[in-house]
Each structure stands twice: as structure tokens, then as C-alpha cells.
Amino acid sequence: MTADEFYEGWKYKLKKNNYKNRTPLIAIILIVLMIALIVLTKNILYLGYMLLLIALVVFIMLSNKKAVKRQFFSSPTIAGETTLCTYGEGLEIINSYQKIFVPWQSIFSVKETEKLLIIMPTYRTGVFVISKERYSSNELNEIISLLKQNNKVEEGKR
């Protein structure tokens, strides 16, 4: 798993845990208010404040991604090699620090995109991201079919 793949899994985990990033929504509301203020008062000074606000929102969004990537690189548990084993009863996720067995019915969530397969084993326990480019199609198709048989697999771009 790369840092970018981990970031995609992290975003999906936040979504499934009902954490919504409201920064863009708040920024849009404030920008609309600033535009209304500029139009009503005919004062161009507020345009500078609006540009500063936009820059601040972009900085916050980029710093979130950098923080998640920094967490990925600083954690040997996350950045280390991970193995996924499938059994008739469930999935086993093994890395150098932990071994987790999750029965099929206990898997919290699965999402399939064009490039990634994101598995949340449980509500609290991390996220496992499989890049479709790094696996042979037979292995990957077997994992996807087992997940589809036993769980609801979300599909989509995000």
C-alpha cells in the first residue's frame, strides 16, 4: 500500500464513520457572503479578504492530506508489508505487528473503485487497501467474488 492509497482508504473510513469534512461547504458559504458584501458595499477591500479565505481553505485541505501521508510513513504498522489470506470462514490480515481474523459477516465495509479495493475489517480497526494494478487478475477476481458473495460491495469513483 502506498501513501496515496492509504489516503484514499482514510477518506473512505472517515465517510463510513460519518465524519464529514465541512471545510469546503463553510468556505463556499463565506465566499458567497463576501461576494454579497462586495456587491452591496461596493468596497473592493473585501475582495482581498475573499482571496485570503480561499487560500486558507486550500491550505487546510492540502495539509490534511500531508498529515495523513506523514502518519503513513511514520508508522511501521501501516507502511509495512501486509498479507491478505482468504478462508471459507473469513479474511485474515497479517503484517509484521499484528494478525487479524475477520469472519465474513463481521466485515464492516468494502468499496471497489477502478484502481483500488478498500476493505474496512471492523468499525474501529484500520483500513486495508489493495491496488488492483499490483495483483494478478485471478487472485483479485477471487478476492472480489468472495467479498461480493459474503458482503455488500460499494462501487464508485469516490
Side-chain angles (χ1 to χ4, degrees):
M1 175 169 39
T2 66
D4 288 323
E5 293 166 358
F6 177 70
Y7 178 68
E8 292 301 316
W10 177 81
K11 287 191 312 186
Y12 178 66
K13 182 175 181 174
L14 289 182
K15 177 185 163 206
K16 291 306 283 186
N17 290 340
N18 291 324
Y19 174 80
K20 294 175 179 67
N21 185 2
R22 293 187 174 97
T23 306
L25 178 64
I26 293 170
I28 290 171
I29 292 170
L30 289 175
I31 289 168
V32 168
L33 289 174
M34 286 284 196
I35 290 172
L37 196 59
I38 291 169
V39 169
L40 293 175
T41 63
K42 296 183 172 92
N43 189 347
I44 300 298
L45 179 66
Y46 293 117
L47 183 63
Y49 291 131
M50 185 174 69
L51 294 175
L52 186 63
L53 178 68
I54 292 170
L56 181 65
V57 168
V58 169
F59 173 75
I60 288 171
M61 293 173 76
L62 290 176
S63 65
N64 277 346
K65 185 172 185 174
K66 283 185 179 181
V68 171
K69 285 185 172 185
R70 198 174 319 116
Q71 177 187 3
F72 174 82
F73 288 119
S74 67
S75 171
T77 305
I78 299 171
E81 285 293 317
T82 304
T83 304
L84 177 71
C85 301
T86 58
Y87 299 104
E89 304 86 37
L91 287 176
E92 187 173 40
I93 300 168
I94 306 166
N95 66 18
S96 56
Y97 292 92
Q98 61 187 352
K99 182 177 183 179
I100 301 169
F101 180 79
V102 185
W104 292 115
Q105 64 272 16
S106 297
I107 293 178
F108 181 69
S109 183
V110 179
K111 180 178 179 181
E112 181 182 7
T113 65
E114 287 181 22
K115 296 181 181 180
L116 301 173
L117 181 64
I118 303 170
I119 303 169
M120 283 182 60
T122 63
Y123 182 75
R124 290 275 182 216
T125 305
V127 63
F128 185 75
V129 181
I130 298 174
S131 172
K132 291 183 176 181
E133 297 168 351
R134 280 190 245 130
Y135 283 88
S136 71
S137 61
N138 293 339
E139 291 176 328
L140 194 58
N141 288 338
E142 180 183 339
I143 292 170
I144 291 171
S145 67
L146 283 169
L147 287 167
K148 285 184 178 180
Q149 284 175 7
N150 297 295
N151 299 90
K152 180 183 174 197
V153 177
E154 294 179 31
E155 295 184 16
K157 294 180 182 176
R158 295 189 165 245

